[in-house]
Amino acid sequence: VSAIGYGAMGLTMAYGPTDEEAGVAALRRAHDLSVTFFDTAEMYGWGTGSNEILVGKAVRDFRDDVVLATKFGVDMSMAPEQIG
Protein backbone atom coordinates (compact mmCIF):
# COMPACT_ATOMS: atom_id res chain seq x y z
CA VAL A 1 0.00 0.00 0.00
CA SER A 2 0.97 3.63 -0.32
CA ALA A 3 2.93 5.23 2.53
CA ILE A 4 0.12 7.74 2.98
CA GLY A 5 -3.47 6.54 3.29
CA TYR A 6 -6.78 8.33 3.17
CA GLY A 7 -8.88 8.41 6.34
CA ALA A 8 -12.50 8.88 5.30
CA MET A 9 -14.08 9.84 8.65
CA GLY A 10 -14.62 13.49 7.74
CA LEU A 11 -16.64 12.59 4.67
CA THR A 12 -19.72 11.63 6.70
CA MET A 13 -19.20 13.01 10.21
CA ALA A 14 -17.12 15.09 12.60
CA TYR A 15 -16.19 18.21 10.63
CA GLY A 16 -19.50 19.84 9.77
CA PRO A 17 -21.88 19.38 6.85
CA THR A 18 -21.04 16.64 4.38
CA ASP A 19 -21.34 16.43 0.60
CA GLU A 20 -21.38 12.98 -1.00
CA GLU A 21 -20.33 14.19 -4.45
CA ALA A 22 -17.37 16.11 -3.04
CA GLY A 23 -16.42 13.10 -0.91
CA VAL A 24 -16.38 10.77 -3.91
CA ALA A 25 -14.31 13.33 -5.83
CA ALA A 26 -11.82 13.62 -2.95
CA LEU A 27 -11.37 9.85 -2.72
CA ARG A 28 -10.89 9.53 -6.47
CA ARG A 29 -8.40 12.40 -6.47
CA ALA A 30 -6.45 10.71 -3.70
CA HIS A 31 -6.23 7.60 -5.87
CA ASP A 32 -5.12 9.75 -8.83
CA LEU A 33 -2.31 10.96 -6.53
CA SER A 34 -1.24 7.34 -5.88
CA VAL A 35 -3.05 6.66 -2.60
CA THR A 36 -3.82 2.94 -2.42
CA PHE A 37 -4.94 2.60 1.21
CA PHE A 38 -8.34 3.87 2.33
CA ASP A 39 -9.68 3.73 5.89
CA THR A 40 -13.35 3.73 6.84
CA ALA A 41 -15.50 2.54 9.75
CA GLU A 42 -19.04 1.62 10.68
CA MET A 43 -18.89 4.38 13.28
CA TYR A 44 -18.13 7.07 10.70
CA GLY A 45 -21.82 7.16 9.86
CA TRP A 46 -23.11 6.53 13.38
CA GLY A 47 -23.75 2.89 12.56
CA THR A 48 -25.56 3.47 9.27
CA GLY A 49 -22.74 2.23 7.02
CA SER A 50 -22.91 5.50 5.11
CA ASN A 51 -19.14 6.05 5.13
CA GLU A 52 -18.41 2.53 3.94
CA ILE A 53 -21.03 2.90 1.19
CA LEU A 54 -19.52 6.23 0.11
CA VAL A 55 -16.01 4.78 -0.03
CA GLY A 56 -17.35 1.81 -1.99
CA LYS A 57 -18.97 4.10 -4.58
CA ALA A 58 -15.78 6.10 -4.93
CA VAL A 59 -13.42 3.17 -5.44
CA ARG A 60 -15.66 0.88 -7.50
CA ASP A 61 -13.73 1.57 -10.74
CA PHE A 62 -10.35 0.76 -9.18
CA ARG A 63 -11.33 -1.54 -6.30
CA ASP A 64 -8.81 -4.23 -7.21
CA ASP A 65 -5.97 -1.68 -7.07
CA VAL A 66 -6.48 -0.54 -3.48
CA VAL A 67 -6.67 -1.86 0.07
CA LEU A 68 -9.67 -0.94 2.21
CA ALA A 69 -9.67 -1.07 5.99
CA THR A 70 -12.76 -0.78 8.14
CA LYS A 71 -13.42 -0.92 11.83
CA PHE A 72 -16.51 -2.32 13.53
CA GLY A 73 -17.89 -3.33 16.89
CA VAL A 74 -18.32 0.08 18.49
CA ASP A 75 -21.27 0.15 20.87
CA MET A 76 -23.53 2.55 18.96
CA SER A 77 -25.98 2.73 21.86
CA MET A 78 -23.57 5.14 23.56
CA ALA A 79 -24.08 8.85 23.11
CA PRO A 80 -21.60 10.39 20.60
CA GLU A 81 -19.87 12.39 23.34
CA GLN A 82 -19.17 9.12 25.21
CA ILE A 83 -17.28 7.62 22.26
CA GLY A 84 -13.69 8.77 22.57
Short mmCIF file of all heavy atoms in Angstrom, two decimals, residues 3-76:
data_model
loop_
_atom_site.label_atom_id
_atom_site.label_comp_id
_atom_site.label_asym_id
_atom_site.label_seq_id
_atom_site.Cartn_x
_atom_site.Cartn_y
_atom_site.Cartn_z
N ALA A 3 2.45 4.79 1.21
CA ALA A 3 2.93 5.23 2.53
C ALA A 3 1.92 6.14 3.21
O ALA A 3 1.85 6.18 4.44
CB ALA A 3 4.26 5.95 2.37
N ILE A 4 1.15 6.86 2.44
CA ILE A 4 0.12 7.74 2.98
C ILE A 4 -1.24 7.17 2.58
O ILE A 4 -1.49 6.87 1.41
CB ILE A 4 0.27 9.17 2.45
CG1 ILE A 4 1.60 9.76 2.93
CG2 ILE A 4 -0.91 10.05 2.87
CD1 ILE A 4 1.91 11.13 2.40
N GLY A 5 -2.13 7.03 3.55
CA GLY A 5 -3.47 6.54 3.29
C GLY A 5 -4.48 7.66 3.41
O GLY A 5 -4.14 8.78 3.79
N TYR A 6 -5.70 7.35 3.09
CA TYR A 6 -6.78 8.33 3.17
C TYR A 6 -7.77 7.88 4.23
O TYR A 6 -8.39 6.83 4.12
CB TYR A 6 -7.51 8.42 1.82
CG TYR A 6 -8.51 9.54 1.76
CD1 TYR A 6 -8.23 10.71 1.07
CD2 TYR A 6 -9.74 9.46 2.41
CE1 TYR A 6 -9.13 11.75 1.02
CE2 TYR A 6 -10.64 10.49 2.37
CZ TYR A 6 -10.33 11.64 1.67
OH TYR A 6 -11.24 12.68 1.63
N GLY A 7 -7.91 8.66 5.28
CA GLY A 7 -8.88 8.41 6.34
C GLY A 7 -10.19 9.11 5.99
O GLY A 7 -10.22 10.33 5.87
N ALA A 8 -11.25 8.35 5.84
CA ALA A 8 -12.50 8.88 5.30
C ALA A 8 -13.50 9.39 6.34
O ALA A 8 -14.61 9.77 5.98
CB ALA A 8 -13.16 7.81 4.43
N MET A 9 -13.13 9.45 7.61
CA MET A 9 -14.08 9.84 8.65
C MET A 9 -14.78 11.16 8.34
O MET A 9 -16.00 11.27 8.46
CB MET A 9 -13.39 9.95 10.00
CG MET A 9 -14.34 10.34 11.13
SD MET A 9 -13.57 10.45 12.75
CE MET A 9 -12.65 11.97 12.59
N GLY A 10 -14.05 12.16 7.96
CA GLY A 10 -14.62 13.49 7.74
C GLY A 10 -15.61 13.58 6.59
O GLY A 10 -16.29 14.60 6.45
N LEU A 11 -15.72 12.54 5.80
CA LEU A 11 -16.64 12.59 4.67
C LEU A 11 -18.09 12.42 5.09
O LEU A 11 -19.00 12.82 4.35
CB LEU A 11 -16.28 11.52 3.63
CG LEU A 11 -14.90 11.63 3.01
CD1 LEU A 11 -14.66 10.50 2.04
CD2 LEU A 11 -14.72 12.98 2.33
N THR A 12 -18.34 11.85 6.27
CA THR A 12 -19.72 11.63 6.70
C THR A 12 -19.99 12.05 8.14
O THR A 12 -21.12 11.93 8.61
CB THR A 12 -20.11 10.14 6.55
OG1 THR A 12 -19.16 9.33 7.24
CG2 THR A 12 -20.20 9.72 5.09
N MET A 13 -18.98 12.57 8.84
CA MET A 13 -19.20 13.01 10.21
C MET A 13 -18.01 13.84 10.70
O MET A 13 -16.99 13.91 10.04
CB MET A 13 -19.38 11.82 11.16
CG MET A 13 -18.13 10.98 11.35
SD MET A 13 -18.25 9.67 12.59
CE MET A 13 -18.13 10.59 14.11
N ALA A 14 -18.18 14.50 11.79
CA ALA A 14 -17.12 15.09 12.60
C ALA A 14 -16.69 16.50 12.24
O ALA A 14 -16.26 17.23 13.11
CB ALA A 14 -15.88 14.19 12.65
N TYR A 15 -16.74 16.90 11.00
CA TYR A 15 -16.19 18.21 10.63
C TYR A 15 -17.21 19.13 10.00
O TYR A 15 -16.87 19.96 9.17
CB TYR A 15 -14.99 18.03 9.70
CG TYR A 15 -13.89 17.21 10.32
CD1 TYR A 15 -13.52 15.99 9.77
CD2 TYR A 15 -13.23 17.63 11.46
CE1 TYR A 15 -12.52 15.22 10.33
CE2 TYR A 15 -12.23 16.88 12.04
CZ TYR A 15 -11.87 15.68 11.46
OH TYR A 15 -10.88 14.92 12.03
N GLY A 16 -18.47 18.98 10.33
CA GLY A 16 -19.50 19.84 9.77
C GLY A 16 -20.29 19.16 8.68
O GLY A 16 -20.25 17.94 8.53
N PRO A 17 -21.03 19.94 7.91
CA PRO A 17 -21.88 19.38 6.85
C PRO A 17 -21.07 18.54 5.86
O PRO A 17 -19.90 18.81 5.61
CB PRO A 17 -22.46 20.61 6.16
CG PRO A 17 -22.32 21.71 7.14
CD PRO A 17 -21.11 21.40 7.96
N THR A 18 -21.73 17.53 5.31
CA THR A 18 -21.04 16.64 4.38
C THR A 18 -21.67 16.76 2.99
O THR A 18 -22.80 17.18 2.84
CB THR A 18 -21.10 15.18 4.86
OG1 THR A 18 -22.46 14.77 4.93
CG2 THR A 18 -20.45 15.03 6.23
N ASP A 19 -20.90 16.36 1.99
CA ASP A 19 -21.34 16.43 0.60
C ASP A 19 -20.84 15.17 -0.10
O ASP A 19 -19.64 15.00 -0.31
CB ASP A 19 -20.73 17.68 -0.04
CG ASP A 19 -21.08 17.86 -1.51
OD1 ASP A 19 -21.17 16.85 -2.23
OD2 ASP A 19 -21.24 19.01 -1.92
N GLU A 20 -21.76 14.27 -0.43
CA GLU A 20 -21.38 12.98 -1.00
C GLU A 20 -20.59 13.14 -2.30
O GLU A 20 -19.57 12.47 -2.50
CB GLU A 20 -22.61 12.12 -1.25
CG GLU A 20 -22.26 10.74 -1.79
CD GLU A 20 -23.45 9.82 -1.92
OE1 GLU A 20 -24.38 9.92 -1.08
OE2 GLU A 20 -23.45 9.00 -2.85
N GLU A 21 -21.03 14.00 -3.17
CA GLU A 21 -20.33 14.19 -4.45
C GLU A 21 -18.90 14.67 -4.24
O GLU A 21 -17.96 14.18 -4.88
CB GLU A 21 -21.11 15.19 -5.31
CG GLU A 21 -20.57 15.33 -6.72
CD GLU A 21 -21.44 16.25 -7.56
OE1 GLU A 21 -22.67 16.12 -7.52
OE2 GLU A 21 -20.86 17.11 -8.26
N ALA A 22 -18.72 15.61 -3.33
CA ALA A 22 -17.37 16.11 -3.04
C ALA A 22 -16.52 15.02 -2.39
O ALA A 22 -15.32 14.93 -2.64
CB ALA A 22 -17.44 17.34 -2.14
N GLY A 23 -17.14 14.19 -1.54
CA GLY A 23 -16.42 13.10 -0.91
C GLY A 23 -15.92 12.08 -1.91
O GLY A 23 -14.76 11.64 -1.86
N VAL A 24 -16.78 11.71 -2.85
CA VAL A 24 -16.38 10.77 -3.91
C VAL A 24 -15.24 11.38 -4.72
O VAL A 24 -14.25 10.71 -5.02
CB VAL A 24 -17.58 10.40 -4.80
CG1 VAL A 24 -17.13 9.69 -6.07
CG2 VAL A 24 -18.58 9.54 -4.03
N ALA A 25 -15.36 12.66 -5.05
CA ALA A 25 -14.31 13.33 -5.83
C ALA A 25 -12.99 13.35 -5.07
O ALA A 25 -11.92 13.13 -5.66
CB ALA A 25 -14.74 14.75 -6.18
N ALA A 26 -13.04 13.59 -3.76
CA ALA A 26 -11.82 13.62 -2.95
C ALA A 26 -11.14 12.25 -2.92
O ALA A 26 -9.91 12.15 -3.05
CB ALA A 26 -12.14 14.08 -1.54
N LEU A 27 -11.93 11.20 -2.74
CA LEU A 27 -11.37 9.85 -2.72
C LEU A 27 -10.76 9.49 -4.07
O LEU A 27 -9.65 8.92 -4.13
CB LEU A 27 -12.45 8.84 -2.34
CG LEU A 27 -12.92 8.90 -0.89
CD1 LEU A 27 -14.29 8.29 -0.72
CD2 LEU A 27 -11.91 8.22 0.02
N ARG A 28 -11.43 9.83 -5.13
CA ARG A 28 -10.89 9.53 -6.47
C ARG A 28 -9.63 10.34 -6.76
O ARG A 28 -8.69 9.84 -7.37
CB ARG A 28 -11.96 9.76 -7.52
CG ARG A 28 -13.06 8.71 -7.43
CD ARG A 28 -14.13 8.89 -8.45
NE ARG A 28 -15.12 7.82 -8.30
CZ ARG A 28 -16.31 7.83 -8.87
NH1 ARG A 28 -16.67 8.83 -9.65
NH2 ARG A 28 -17.13 6.82 -8.68
N ARG A 29 -9.60 11.57 -6.29
CA ARG A 29 -8.40 12.40 -6.47
C ARG A 29 -7.24 11.82 -5.69
O ARG A 29 -6.09 11.81 -6.16
CB ARG A 29 -8.68 13.84 -6.05
CG ARG A 29 -7.50 14.76 -6.18
CD ARG A 29 -7.10 14.95 -7.63
NE ARG A 29 -6.01 15.92 -7.69
CZ ARG A 29 -4.98 15.83 -8.53
NH1 ARG A 29 -4.93 14.87 -9.42
NH2 ARG A 29 -4.03 16.73 -8.50
N ALA A 30 -7.50 11.34 -4.49
CA ALA A 30 -6.45 10.71 -3.70
C ALA A 30 -5.86 9.53 -4.47
O ALA A 30 -4.63 9.36 -4.53
CB ALA A 30 -6.99 10.26 -2.34
N HIS A 31 -6.71 8.73 -5.07
CA HIS A 31 -6.23 7.60 -5.87
C HIS A 31 -5.41 8.10 -7.06
O HIS A 31 -4.36 7.54 -7.38
CB HIS A 31 -7.39 6.73 -6.33
CG HIS A 31 -6.95 5.57 -7.15
ND1 HIS A 31 -7.07 5.53 -8.51
CD2 HIS A 31 -6.34 4.40 -6.78
CE1 HIS A 31 -6.57 4.39 -8.95
NE2 HIS A 31 -6.13 3.69 -7.93
N ASP A 32 -5.87 9.15 -7.72
CA ASP A 32 -5.12 9.75 -8.83
C ASP A 32 -3.71 10.17 -8.38
O ASP A 32 -2.78 10.16 -9.17
CB ASP A 32 -5.83 10.97 -9.39
CG ASP A 32 -7.11 10.64 -10.15
OD1 ASP A 32 -7.31 9.45 -10.50
OD2 ASP A 32 -7.91 11.57 -10.37
N LEU A 33 -3.59 10.53 -7.11
CA LEU A 33 -2.31 10.96 -6.53
C LEU A 33 -1.54 9.80 -5.92
O LEU A 33 -0.63 10.00 -5.13
CB LEU A 33 -2.54 12.07 -5.50
CG LEU A 33 -3.10 13.37 -6.07
CD1 LEU A 33 -3.51 14.31 -4.95
CD2 LEU A 33 -2.08 14.03 -7.00
N SER A 34 -1.93 8.57 -6.26
CA SER A 34 -1.24 7.34 -5.88
C SER A 34 -1.56 6.80 -4.49
O SER A 34 -0.84 5.93 -3.98
CB SER A 34 0.28 7.49 -6.04
OG SER A 34 0.58 7.79 -7.39
N VAL A 35 -2.62 7.25 -3.86
CA VAL A 35 -3.05 6.66 -2.60
C VAL A 35 -3.71 5.32 -2.91
O VAL A 35 -4.59 5.24 -3.77
CB VAL A 35 -4.02 7.59 -1.84
CG1 VAL A 35 -4.59 6.89 -0.62
CG2 VAL A 35 -3.31 8.88 -1.44
N THR A 36 -3.25 4.28 -2.21
CA THR A 36 -3.82 2.94 -2.42
C THR A 36 -4.35 2.32 -1.14
O THR A 36 -4.71 1.15 -1.12
CB THR A 36 -2.77 1.99 -3.05
OG1 THR A 36 -1.66 1.88 -2.16
CG2 THR A 36 -2.33 2.48 -4.42
N PHE A 37 -4.41 3.09 -0.06
CA PHE A 37 -4.94 2.60 1.21
C PHE A 37 -6.02 3.57 1.70
O PHE A 37 -5.75 4.77 1.86
CB PHE A 37 -3.83 2.49 2.26
CG PHE A 37 -4.33 2.02 3.60
CD1 PHE A 37 -4.71 0.70 3.78
CD2 PHE A 37 -4.44 2.89 4.66
CE1 PHE A 37 -5.18 0.26 5.02
CE2 PHE A 37 -4.91 2.46 5.89
CZ PHE A 37 -5.27 1.15 6.07
N PHE A 38 -7.22 3.05 1.90
CA PHE A 38 -8.34 3.87 2.33
C PHE A 38 -8.94 3.28 3.61
O PHE A 38 -9.16 2.07 3.70
CB PHE A 38 -9.41 3.93 1.23
CG PHE A 38 -8.94 4.64 0.00
CD1 PHE A 38 -8.27 3.94 -1.00
CD2 PHE A 38 -9.13 6.00 -0.17
CE1 PHE A 38 -7.81 4.58 -2.14
CE2 PHE A 38 -8.67 6.66 -1.30
CZ PHE A 38 -8.01 5.94 -2.29
N ASP A 39 -9.19 4.15 4.59
CA ASP A 39 -9.68 3.73 5.89
C ASP A 39 -11.09 4.25 6.11
O ASP A 39 -11.37 5.44 5.89
CB ASP A 39 -8.75 4.28 6.98
CG ASP A 39 -9.30 4.03 8.36
OD1 ASP A 39 -9.31 2.86 8.78
OD2 ASP A 39 -9.76 4.99 9.01
N THR A 40 -11.97 3.37 6.55
CA THR A 40 -13.35 3.73 6.84
C THR A 40 -13.77 3.03 8.13
O THR A 40 -12.96 2.33 8.74
CB THR A 40 -14.27 3.35 5.65
OG1 THR A 40 -15.61 3.75 5.94
CG2 THR A 40 -14.23 1.87 5.33
N ALA A 41 -15.00 3.23 8.56
CA ALA A 41 -15.50 2.54 9.75
C ALA A 41 -17.01 2.63 9.81
O ALA A 41 -17.61 3.60 9.34
CB ALA A 41 -14.91 3.14 11.02
N GLU A 42 -17.59 1.62 10.42
CA GLU A 42 -19.04 1.62 10.68
C GLU A 42 -19.43 2.88 11.46
O GLU A 42 -20.45 3.52 11.18
CB GLU A 42 -19.37 0.36 11.47
CG GLU A 42 -20.78 0.25 11.96
CD GLU A 42 -20.97 -0.95 12.89
OE1 GLU A 42 -20.02 -1.36 13.57
OE2 GLU A 42 -22.09 -1.46 12.90
N MET A 43 -18.61 3.23 12.42
CA MET A 43 -18.89 4.38 13.28
C MET A 43 -18.91 5.71 12.55
O MET A 43 -19.54 6.66 12.99
CB MET A 43 -17.83 4.42 14.39
CG MET A 43 -18.08 5.47 15.44
SD MET A 43 -16.77 5.43 16.67
CE MET A 43 -15.94 6.93 16.24
N TYR A 44 -18.23 5.80 11.41
CA TYR A 44 -18.13 7.07 10.70
C TYR A 44 -19.44 7.52 10.07
O TYR A 44 -19.50 8.54 9.41
CB TYR A 44 -17.05 7.00 9.62
CG TYR A 44 -15.64 6.79 10.14
CD1 TYR A 44 -14.62 6.48 9.26
CD2 TYR A 44 -15.33 6.90 11.48
CE1 TYR A 44 -13.32 6.28 9.71
CE2 TYR A 44 -14.03 6.69 11.94
CZ TYR A 44 -13.04 6.38 11.04
OH TYR A 44 -11.76 6.18 11.48
N GLY A 45 -20.48 6.77 10.27
CA GLY A 45 -21.82 7.16 9.86
C GLY A 45 -22.81 6.87 10.96
O GLY A 45 -23.98 6.63 10.70
N TRP A 46 -22.31 6.84 12.19
CA TRP A 46 -23.11 6.53 13.38
C TRP A 46 -23.86 5.22 13.22
O TRP A 46 -25.04 5.11 13.55
CB TRP A 46 -24.04 7.68 13.74
CG TRP A 46 -23.28 8.92 14.07
CD1 TRP A 46 -23.33 10.10 13.39
CD2 TRP A 46 -22.33 9.11 15.12
NE1 TRP A 46 -22.46 11.00 13.94
CE2 TRP A 46 -21.83 10.43 15.01
CE3 TRP A 46 -21.83 8.29 16.12
CZ2 TRP A 46 -20.88 10.93 15.88
CZ3 TRP A 46 -20.87 8.82 16.99
CH2 TRP A 46 -20.42 10.12 16.86
N GLY A 47 -23.18 4.23 12.66
CA GLY A 47 -23.75 2.89 12.56
C GLY A 47 -24.61 2.65 11.34
O GLY A 47 -25.18 1.57 11.19
N THR A 48 -24.71 3.62 10.45
CA THR A 48 -25.56 3.47 9.27
C THR A 48 -24.84 2.82 8.09
O THR A 48 -25.48 2.44 7.12
CB THR A 48 -26.07 4.83 8.79
OG1 THR A 48 -24.95 5.61 8.32
CG2 THR A 48 -26.80 5.58 9.89
N GLY A 49 -23.51 2.75 8.15
CA GLY A 49 -22.74 2.23 7.02
C GLY A 49 -22.53 3.25 5.93
O GLY A 49 -21.98 2.95 4.88
N SER A 50 -22.96 4.48 6.16
CA SER A 50 -22.91 5.50 5.11
C SER A 50 -21.49 5.81 4.64
O SER A 50 -21.26 6.04 3.45
CB SER A 50 -23.60 6.79 5.55
OG SER A 50 -22.96 7.35 6.68
N ASN A 51 -20.53 5.77 5.54
CA ASN A 51 -19.14 6.05 5.13
C ASN A 51 -18.61 4.91 4.29
O ASN A 51 -17.98 5.13 3.24
CB ASN A 51 -18.27 6.28 6.37
CG ASN A 51 -16.93 6.86 6.02
OD1 ASN A 51 -15.97 6.13 5.75
ND2 ASN A 51 -16.84 8.19 6.02
N GLU A 52 -18.87 3.70 4.71
CA GLU A 52 -18.41 2.53 3.94
C GLU A 52 -19.07 2.49 2.56
O GLU A 52 -18.42 2.17 1.56
CB GLU A 52 -18.70 1.25 4.73
CG GLU A 52 -17.87 1.17 6.00
CD GLU A 52 -18.46 0.25 7.04
OE1 GLU A 52 -19.68 0.31 7.29
OE2 GLU A 52 -17.68 -0.52 7.62
N ILE A 53 -20.33 2.85 2.48
CA ILE A 53 -21.03 2.90 1.19
C ILE A 53 -20.41 3.97 0.30
O ILE A 53 -20.17 3.75 -0.89
CB ILE A 53 -22.54 3.15 1.41
CG1 ILE A 53 -23.18 1.93 2.07
CG2 ILE A 53 -23.23 3.50 0.09
CD1 ILE A 53 -24.58 2.17 2.61
N LEU A 54 -20.14 5.14 0.87
CA LEU A 54 -19.52 6.23 0.11
C LEU A 54 -18.15 5.82 -0.43
O LEU A 54 -17.85 6.02 -1.61
CB LEU A 54 -19.39 7.48 0.99
CG LEU A 54 -18.70 8.67 0.36
CD1 LEU A 54 -19.56 9.26 -0.76
CD2 LEU A 54 -18.42 9.73 1.40
N VAL A 55 -17.33 5.23 0.42
CA VAL A 55 -16.01 4.78 -0.03
C VAL A 55 -16.17 3.73 -1.12
O VAL A 55 -15.47 3.78 -2.14
CB VAL A 55 -15.17 4.24 1.16
CG1 VAL A 55 -13.90 3.58 0.67
CG2 VAL A 55 -14.85 5.37 2.14
N GLY A 56 -17.11 2.83 -0.97
CA GLY A 56 -17.35 1.81 -1.99
C GLY A 56 -17.72 2.41 -3.33
O GLY A 56 -17.22 1.97 -4.38
N LYS A 57 -18.60 3.43 -3.32
CA LYS A 57 -18.97 4.10 -4.58
C LYS A 57 -17.75 4.75 -5.22
O LYS A 57 -17.58 4.69 -6.45
CB LYS A 57 -20.02 5.18 -4.30
CG LYS A 57 -21.39 4.66 -4.01
CD LYS A 57 -22.34 5.81 -3.72
CE LYS A 57 -23.71 5.32 -3.34
NZ LYS A 57 -24.64 6.41 -3.01
N ALA A 58 -16.93 5.36 -4.41
CA ALA A 58 -15.78 6.10 -4.93
C ALA A 58 -14.74 5.19 -5.56
O ALA A 58 -14.14 5.55 -6.58
CB ALA A 58 -15.15 6.94 -3.83
N VAL A 59 -14.51 4.03 -4.97
CA VAL A 59 -13.42 3.17 -5.44
C VAL A 59 -13.88 2.06 -6.39
O VAL A 59 -13.06 1.27 -6.84
CB VAL A 59 -12.62 2.55 -4.27
CG1 VAL A 59 -12.12 3.64 -3.32
CG2 VAL A 59 -13.42 1.51 -3.51
N ARG A 60 -15.15 2.01 -6.71
CA ARG A 60 -15.66 0.88 -7.50
C ARG A 60 -14.90 0.66 -8.81
O ARG A 60 -14.72 -0.47 -9.23
CB ARG A 60 -17.15 1.01 -7.73
CG ARG A 60 -17.54 1.85 -8.90
CD ARG A 60 -19.03 1.78 -9.21
NE ARG A 60 -19.51 3.14 -9.16
CZ ARG A 60 -20.63 3.51 -8.60
NH1 ARG A 60 -21.40 2.63 -8.03
NH2 ARG A 60 -20.98 4.75 -8.59
N ASP A 61 -14.43 1.72 -9.45
CA ASP A 61 -13.73 1.57 -10.74
C ASP A 61 -12.28 1.10 -10.60
O ASP A 61 -11.67 0.70 -11.59
CB ASP A 61 -13.78 2.87 -11.53
CG ASP A 61 -15.19 3.24 -11.96
OD1 ASP A 61 -16.04 2.33 -12.08
OD2 ASP A 61 -15.45 4.44 -12.17
N PHE A 62 -11.73 1.18 -9.39
CA PHE A 62 -10.35 0.76 -9.18
C PHE A 62 -10.21 -0.10 -7.92
O PHE A 62 -9.15 -0.19 -7.33
CB PHE A 62 -9.39 1.96 -9.14
CG PHE A 62 -9.81 3.09 -8.23
CD1 PHE A 62 -9.48 3.08 -6.88
CD2 PHE A 62 -10.52 4.17 -8.73
CE1 PHE A 62 -9.86 4.12 -6.04
CE2 PHE A 62 -10.89 5.22 -7.90
CZ PHE A 62 -10.57 5.20 -6.56
N ARG A 63 -11.29 -0.77 -7.54
CA ARG A 63 -11.33 -1.54 -6.30
C ARG A 63 -10.20 -2.55 -6.19
O ARG A 63 -9.63 -2.74 -5.12
CB ARG A 63 -12.68 -2.25 -6.17
CG ARG A 63 -12.77 -3.23 -4.99
CD ARG A 63 -12.54 -2.53 -3.66
NE ARG A 63 -12.43 -3.45 -2.56
CZ ARG A 63 -11.28 -3.85 -2.03
NH1 ARG A 63 -10.14 -3.44 -2.52
NH2 ARG A 63 -11.27 -4.66 -0.99
N ASP A 64 -9.84 -3.20 -7.27
CA ASP A 64 -8.81 -4.23 -7.21
C ASP A 64 -7.40 -3.66 -7.08
O ASP A 64 -6.45 -4.40 -6.87
CB ASP A 64 -8.88 -5.13 -8.45
CG ASP A 64 -10.14 -5.98 -8.47
OD1 ASP A 64 -10.76 -6.17 -7.40
OD2 ASP A 64 -10.53 -6.44 -9.55
N ASP A 65 -7.28 -2.34 -7.16
CA ASP A 65 -5.97 -1.68 -7.07
C ASP A 65 -5.68 -1.08 -5.70
O ASP A 65 -4.62 -0.50 -5.50
CB ASP A 65 -5.87 -0.57 -8.12
CG ASP A 65 -6.05 -1.08 -9.53
OD1 ASP A 65 -5.66 -2.23 -9.81
OD2 ASP A 65 -6.60 -0.32 -10.36
N VAL A 66 -6.63 -1.18 -4.78
CA VAL A 66 -6.48 -0.54 -3.48
C VAL A 66 -6.77 -1.51 -2.35
O VAL A 66 -7.35 -2.58 -2.55
CB VAL A 66 -7.40 0.70 -3.35
CG1 VAL A 66 -7.07 1.74 -4.41
CG2 VAL A 66 -8.86 0.31 -3.41
N VAL A 67 -6.37 -1.11 -1.15
CA VAL A 67 -6.67 -1.86 0.07
C VAL A 67 -7.62 -1.01 0.90
O VAL A 67 -7.38 0.18 1.10
CB VAL A 67 -5.38 -2.17 0.87
CG1 VAL A 67 -5.71 -2.79 2.21
CG2 VAL A 67 -4.46 -3.07 0.06
N LEU A 68 -8.70 -1.63 1.36
CA LEU A 68 -9.67 -0.94 2.21
C LEU A 68 -9.58 -1.52 3.62
O LEU A 68 -9.49 -2.73 3.79
CB LEU A 68 -11.09 -1.14 1.69
CG LEU A 68 -11.39 -0.65 0.28
CD1 LEU A 68 -12.81 -1.01 -0.10
CD2 LEU A 68 -11.15 0.83 0.17
N ALA A 69 -9.62 -0.64 4.59
CA ALA A 69 -9.67 -1.07 5.99
C ALA A 69 -10.95 -0.50 6.60
O ALA A 69 -11.34 0.63 6.29
CB ALA A 69 -8.46 -0.55 6.75
N THR A 70 -11.60 -1.28 7.42
CA THR A 70 -12.76 -0.78 8.14
C THR A 70 -12.69 -1.27 9.58
O THR A 70 -12.01 -2.25 9.88
CB THR A 70 -14.08 -1.21 7.46
OG1 THR A 70 -15.16 -0.49 8.06
CG2 THR A 70 -14.31 -2.70 7.55
N LYS A 71 -13.35 -0.56 10.43
CA LYS A 71 -13.42 -0.92 11.83
C LYS A 71 -14.88 -1.13 12.20
O LYS A 71 -15.75 -0.49 11.63
CB LYS A 71 -12.78 0.17 12.69
CG LYS A 71 -11.28 0.26 12.42
CD LYS A 71 -10.66 1.59 12.75
CE LYS A 71 -11.21 2.81 12.10
NZ LYS A 71 -10.90 3.01 10.69
N PHE A 72 -15.13 -2.03 13.14
CA PHE A 72 -16.51 -2.32 13.53
C PHE A 72 -16.54 -2.72 14.99
O PHE A 72 -15.50 -2.89 15.62
CB PHE A 72 -17.10 -3.44 12.65
CG PHE A 72 -16.36 -4.75 12.79
CD1 PHE A 72 -16.79 -5.70 13.68
CD2 PHE A 72 -15.22 -5.00 12.03
CE1 PHE A 72 -16.11 -6.90 13.82
CE2 PHE A 72 -14.54 -6.20 12.15
CZ PHE A 72 -14.99 -7.15 13.05
N GLY A 73 -17.73 -2.85 15.52
CA GLY A 73 -17.89 -3.33 16.89
C GLY A 73 -18.04 -2.24 17.93
O GLY A 73 -18.13 -2.55 19.12
N VAL A 74 -18.10 -1.00 17.53
CA VAL A 74 -18.32 0.08 18.49
C VAL A 74 -19.75 -0.01 19.00
O VAL A 74 -20.68 -0.25 18.23
CB VAL A 74 -18.06 1.46 17.84
CG1 VAL A 74 -18.43 2.60 18.77
CG2 VAL A 74 -16.62 1.58 17.41
N ASP A 75 -19.93 0.18 20.27
CA ASP A 75 -21.27 0.15 20.87
C ASP A 75 -22.00 1.44 20.49
O ASP A 75 -21.78 2.48 21.09
CB ASP A 75 -21.16 0.01 22.40
CG ASP A 75 -22.52 -0.05 23.08
OD1 ASP A 75 -23.57 0.07 22.40
OD2 ASP A 75 -22.52 -0.23 24.31
N MET A 76 -22.84 1.36 19.47
CA MET A 76 -23.53 2.55 18.96
C MET A 76 -24.66 3.01 19.85
O MET A 76 -25.28 4.03 19.58
CB MET A 76 -24.05 2.27 17.54
CG MET A 76 -22.96 1.92 16.53
SD MET A 76 -21.60 3.11 16.45
CE MET A 76 -22.43 4.52 15.76
#
